[in-house]
Amino acid sequence: MHKPVQYEKGMYVGAKIKERTFGAIITSETAFVPDMSSAYHYHANPHFSHILAGGSKEIRNGNSDIQYAGKGLYYYPGIVHQNVDYRPGTRIFNLELDAAFFNTFGLSLPSASLMFEDSNQLNTTGLIRIMKEHYLDDADSPMAIDQLCINLVHPGKEGEAYFPEWTKKIKTVMNDYWNQPLSLSLLATHLELHPVTISKYFPRYFGCSAGEYLRRIKIERAFPLIKKGNYSLTEIAYECGFTDQAHFTKTFRHVTGLLPKQYRSI
């Protein structure tokens, strides 16, 4: 492997279609030539990506993973990776956060583990709300994007520096059993906790109720299915555990700010 390239602020693989700067936040859309490959590289700033179309194979830490349309990703500064075999029509939305963002709001970078642990990558819904502001770009977008980015990197309440061990376990349980009937009693059994403990403290660490979090997981599962384009919205609704298309559409809009058809067309 050759010496990896450092991508400075605002630099990405691919050609930029549209870039906007909101203070210490940079949003952009990039497009890629089919079958192209990047050099091994790493980024100076943390950033999130959402694959709008196409995808590639990503190599890091000696392992490879297929990155497909509808997937949300996080890149921790300094972690070397390479992307190869870009598919035709690949487009990616990028969100980059400069050091000034974290200094201004007194926040820490999301952990590097977010780059590797699937159960922790519940970030695509937040990215889509930010992406909506990127395209809207009106007078209120800077404030909206600041708030959305704060919630993206710190989804729990401020001041909660310590997260109990059960908060990690409950993410795994909810992601493993997302398409099965879940209850506080069942979660409590898996975690060996009292249901009242979960009910009382879940919002403190996750910034929402357990039911809202489960809805977000279901919407996360819907993103790649919508982008594939060969499933009807009714089929996707049932596949992702919703009672019907109307329920799915209402929840999708509540979580992302977009209708499923709007997301499919981006």
Side-chain angles (χ1 to χ4, degrees):
M1 182 178 72
H2 296 291
K3 183 178 179 181
V5 177
Q6 175 173 305
Y7 281 12
E8 300 292 346
K9 179 178 177 179
M11 291 179 60
Y12 297 98
V13 178
K16 288 182 186 177
I17 299 174
K18 189 177 295 183
E19 179 181 86
R20 293 197 169 103
T21 301
F22 303 89
I25 300 167
I26 301 172
T27 59
S28 63
E29 183 182 333
T30 46
F32 301 81
V33 175
D35 300 319
M36 70 172 285
S37 296
S38 74
Y40 277 95
H41 64 280
Y42 60 93
H43 298 268
N45 285 329
H47 79 277
F48 293 83
S49 292
H50 178 57
I51 303 175
L52 300 172
S56 68
K57 181 167 74 172
E58 186 164 284
I59 303 167
R60 44 185 152 93
N61 285 2
N63 298 313
S64 64
D65 189 26
I66 301 300
Q67 313 294 21
Y68 49 83
K71 190 170 185 178
L73 302 163
Y74 171 63
Y75 293 90
Y76 189 82
I79 294 183
V80 176
H81 55 283
Q82 181 188 32
N83 295 85
V84 301
D85 301 331
Y86 278 94
R87 296 175 186 171
T90 296
R91 293 183 298 114
I92 298 178
F93 172 73
N94 307 290
L95 168 70
E96 181 175 346
L97 302 170
D98 200 10
F101 170 82
F102 297 97
N103 293 334
T104 298
F105 297 109
L107 297 172
S108 300
L109 275 66
S111 168
S113 65
L114 187 62
M115 195 168 172
F116 302 98
E117 298 177 13
D118 287 339
S119 63
N120 284 338
Q121 294 202 15
L122 193 68
N123 56 39
T124 310
T125 53
L127 276 176
I128 288 172
R129 284 189 169 273
I130 294 166
M131 184 173 66
K132 179 184 174 183
E133 293 293 338
H134 165 81
Y135 290 116
L136 182 61
D137 192 29
D138 65 11
D140 302 317
S141 291
M143 182 171 66
I145 283 185
D146 275 349
Q147 182 179 1
L148 290 166
C149 287
I150 289 170
N151 292 339
L152 184 71
V153 304
H154 196 294
K157 290 188 175 181
E158 292 291 336
E160 297 293 343
Y162 170 71
F163 285 74
E165 185 64 27
W166 68 263
T167 61
K168 298 178 183 178
K169 292 180 180 178
I170 201 168
K171 286 182 181 180
T172 301
V173 173
M174 295 182 79
N175 276 276
D176 286 347
Y177 295 93
W178 69 274
N179 59 346
Q180 300 178 29
L182 278 176
S183 65
L184 282 176
S185 297
L186 184 61
L187 289 172
T189 299
H190 279 287
L191 300 171
E192 299 181 344
L193 289 175
H194 196 283
V196 172
T197 301
I198 298 173
S199 179
K200 183 177 180 179
Y201 291 105
F202 192 97
R204 175 182 296 183
Y205 297 108
F206 292 89
C208 63
S209 70
E212 290 170 326
Y213 191 85
L214 186 57
R215 290 190 194 104
R216 294 179 191 177
I217 292 175
K218 291 179 178 180
I219 294 299
E220 291 279 330
R221 297 302 193 279
F223 292 135
L225 296 178
I226 293 173
K227 282 297 184 181
K228 283 182 179 178
N230 52 351
Y231 295 97
S232 71
L233 294 181
T234 299
E235 290 172 325
I236 294 171
Y238 290 133
E239 180 69 22
C240 294
F242 293 93
T243 53
D244 53 37
Q245 182 182 331
H247 182 211
F248 168 61
T249 298
K250 181 179 179 180
T251 304
F252 192 96
R253 185 171 190 175
H254 175 74
V255 171
T256 69
L258 295 171
L259 293 170
K261 289 182 179 179
Q262 291 175 312
Y263 172 67
R264 176 173 273 170
S265 68
I266 295 175

